[in-house]
Amino acid sequence: SLITGISARTGGSTAIARTRRNLFPAVSQAGDVVVLAPEFLGTHASEFGQFCVGNVLQTPLPEIIKQSARAPYVQDYWAGLDDAEKTCEYYAFCGGGHASNKYFELGSTRGTETQHCRQTVKLVLNAVLDAITPRALPDDSRPPGRPV
């Protein structure tokens, strides 16, 4: 498809895709640290407990960030990115999606496609490609006097 072709010409991995592996810490007023999405501050996840991976009042932030890569929700998110990279032709354009969208829409950080993805990446990209891709018309359906 055209999307796959564009992705291949860009090397299949954009800066957006590469930055999805960054942990992006957020710190609450109480010093609690979450990674991947500030929306996780104060959020309770039944399968993970709190998204909190540490507290800067007790542990230096660099140490918390280093340890946070082992958090189950981070591991799930990265596994979802790997799944999306293998299965989604749009991966090079979004990098696999946002952890918070995945969790709040799907109940897991591992998902590969969300409503947010469909509406803000896939539909938009398809509309742009439809607008710039010439359409071949059958000979009998060309408007009079206008070449294809």
Side-chain angles (χ1 to χ4, degrees), residues 7-138:
S7 176
R9 277 184 252 132
T10 62
S13 180
T14 64
I16 294 170
R18 288 189 299 274
T19 62
R20 292 284 186 245
R21 299 289 176 167
N22 292 338
L23 291 168
F24 300 111
V27 182
S28 75
Q29 286 181 314
D32 290 336
V33 178
V34 298
V35 293
L36 301 179
E39 296 88 348
F40 291 155
L41 282 170
T43 300
H44 179 79
S46 58
E47 67 276 18
F48 305 124
Q50 294 291 328
F51 283 98
C52 180
V53 292
N55 187 292
V56 294
L57 302 177
Q58 300 165 357
T59 309
L61 185 59
E63 188 176 325
I64 293 170
I65 293 170
K66 184 177 177 182
Q67 294 170 357
S68 70
R70 293 190 300 268
Y73 76 94
V74 173
Q75 293 295 310
D76 279 356
Y77 177 66
W78 287 346
L81 295 184
D82 291 341
D83 293 345
E85 186 173 21
K86 292 174 195 163
T87 63
C88 182
E89 67 181 334
Y90 297 83
Y91 180 83
F93 301 96
C94 74
H98 302 281
S100 58
N101 287 107
K102 291 178 179 209
Y103 182 75
F104 294 115
E105 286 189 39
L106 307 173
S108 168
T109 55
R110 187 172 183 153
T112 59
E113 183 183 52
T114 62
Q115 194 67 299
H116 180 264
C117 167
R118 286 187 289 278
Q119 294 178 356
T120 65
V121 176
K122 291 181 176 185
L123 287 175
V124 173
L125 186 56
N126 287 340
V128 169
L129 292 175
D130 284 348
I132 64 172
T133 303
R135 301 270 182 231
L137 297 174

